Amino acid sequence: MRLQEGAAADAAPLVEAVGVAAADSPAGPNLGPALQRFAIGLGGLDRWAVDVPGTIVGLQQGCSPVLEDGVPAPDGTAAVNDGVLKADDVVELDWTLDRAQTETGALYFAHPYADLWREAFVGHLIRSAAELGLALPFLGYWPDGVEQVALVSHDSDGNQDIHAESTLQTLDECGMKSTWCMLESGYSAEMYKRITAAGHELAFHYNAVAADDGFWDADEFARQLGWLRDATGQQRVVSNKNHLTRMEGWGEFFRWCEANGVEADQTRGPSKKGNVGFIFGTCHPYFPLAWADERNRSYDVLQVGFLTQDLDIGKWSDSSIIVPFLDEVRKVEGVAHFLFHQIHIHNREEVRRSMLLLAKEARQRGFTFWTCEQINDWERARRRIDVRTAVSGPTAGSRTANPSQSYAVLWVPSAGPAETHPSTIKYGVPCMKKIVAVHQ
């Protein structure tokens, strides 16, 4: 706030204080309100005590590059200090404060904090505009008819066609289309044809694990990707997940993806039993940010993290985490991403049962199963929508049936009383639903 020369430097009157900022832990000393609203003339100033954008990015990407082993859980449930540099070596959540337990005692990171902070910030902006009689339209996360998305992916460790055969049968029983991340040397050419004919996505599984003679290198990334394209005859490989969630540095890996036409990555997820869940604070796709050496640009690589690996085999978690994960993802309309290895699907009946349970529980909660390619294509198309021109588009229910066309949901906060027209409450504000055609 700028004061005229000679004006009294009296503090602006505090209109409202919202929330509490505590030191060190939720039960720590009260540092003051999380949000303050001050009156200034005919306007006002809203001040967050929390760096909301910085918190979201820090949770999603970590606050430092991956240069060394991470700090393990003090109770021994997540030994991330295993000599392999990985995505979960840099995590900003607290082992004690941010984990919960299921009824079986399974530990998991319980909440998508980054998504919740995003909702708090965006919701406050929309409500503040509504208080001034202004309508701030916003897009829904998914196409009309889709509430939230479930993604099942696989990593082809072992590379035997018989593993793929069992996986195809299980997926057919579950009614899922999934994403298959292929590790060199892969499957037979005939098996690739069967996978794609069944509607599944073939993706990349970059191997930079020293124990497998892999290494972290731009040329090696390109070489392995070239092998996959030659083996499958598929030039467009949309997505990747790194073997053992290998990761180093900050942005070099995303630059490799950009240079080689890989549009989405799934590497950010848990590698240990005790750190499954919302370890990076989000279940929404996002474009990672670069450091200042690249002018804080967004990398053109969509990040679609996962929540857990194979269930009920003792190495990771058990099926008791399925419902808590789905319920939390549903609250923020995100992506519930579960990873199942084909080798375990083939060898372990309990893994097959957990997939069937996931399919059942997800559908009961209104989830739609998509591949990573579908998520990537939708998110990119959604971000190209110009809301300024879309506001005058058709209202809900007036679209023309076109199976090749996607329709985004545009929410327009109501200018008048809610009872004067049909509306839905979003962020505490009555909103009208409009449907917008999207060209992918």
Side-chain angles (χ1 to χ4, degrees), residues 218-416:
D219 291 340
E220 177 63 8
F221 179 93
R223 186 200 67 77
Q224 290 184 28
L225 181 59
W227 157 79
L228 178 63
R229 286 172 170 150
D230 290 343
T232 63
Q234 180 177 293
Q235 289 306 300
R236 185 183 184 228
V237 177
V238 173
S239 60
N240 165 77
K241 185 191 305 104
N242 290 350
H243 187 42
L244 296 191
T245 69
R246 275 282 282 117
M247 187 63 65
E248 289 187 31
W250 183 267
E252 61 193 62
F253 170 73
F254 298 121
R255 294 195 295 272
W256 301 350
C257 290
E258 289 177 325
N260 290 277
V262 174
E263 299 175 27
D265 177 67
Q266 309 166 34
T267 302
R268 296 188 71 76
S271 68
K272 300 293 180 284
K273 182 176 184 177
N275 66 3
V276 300
F278 303 94
I279 184 172
F280 298 109
T282 185
C283 58
H284 274 278
Y286 66 93
F287 289 93
L289 292 179
W291 274 18
D293 61 341
E294 295 184 75
R295 303 181 65 85
N296 303 115
R297 73 181 180 93
S298 293
Y299 292 110
D300 190 20
V301 182
L302 187 70
Q303 186 66 54
V304 188
F306 65 92
L307 297 171
T308 185
Q309 304 189 39
D310 311 82
L311 301 173
D312 298 326
I313 63 174
K315 187 173 183 180
W316 291 288
S317 194
D318 60 45
S319 291
S320 67
I321 53 89
I322 290 177
V323 169
F325 284 172
L326 293 175
D327 286 346
E328 284 296 309
V329 172
R330 186 182 183 188
K331 290 178 185 177
V332 295
E333 302 175 55
V335 176
H337 183 179
F338 291 75
L339 164 60
F340 296 94
H341 291 77
Q342 293 96 325
I343 188 172
H344 296 315
I345 295 171
H346 174 74
N347 289 322
R348 307 293 290 264
E349 175 61 29
E350 55 267 48
V351 174
R352 294 190 290 274
R353 285 198 302 266
S354 70
M355 288 180 64
L356 288 165
L357 179 61
L358 170 62
K360 172 188 172 184
E361 297 288 353
R363 290 200 172 90
Q364 286 179 349
R365 288 163 175 78
F367 280 81
T368 301
F369 282 93
W370 274 8
T371 65
C372 191
E373 180 177 358
Q374 287 175 289
I375 294 170
N376 172 76
D377 291 350
W378 167 254
E379 184 64 21
R380 289 174 179 274
R382 173 181 173 270
R383 289 174 181 247
R384 290 194 296 267
I385 297 173
D386 188 339
V387 174
R388 292 172 300 176
T389 59
V391 172
S392 60
T395 57
S398 66
R399 70 188 187 197
T400 301
N402 183 350
S404 65
Q405 180 69 67
S406 295
Y407 295 89
V409 175
L410 179 69
W411 296 103
V412 182
S414 305

Side-chain angles (χ1 to χ4, degrees), residues 29-52:
N30 185 345
L31 298 178
L35 173 65
Q36 295 172 309
R37 308 192 73 179
F38 299 93
I40 303 177
L42 298 178
L45 171 70
D46 292 2
R47 176 191 179 275
W48 290 88
V50 178
D51 175 6
V52 179

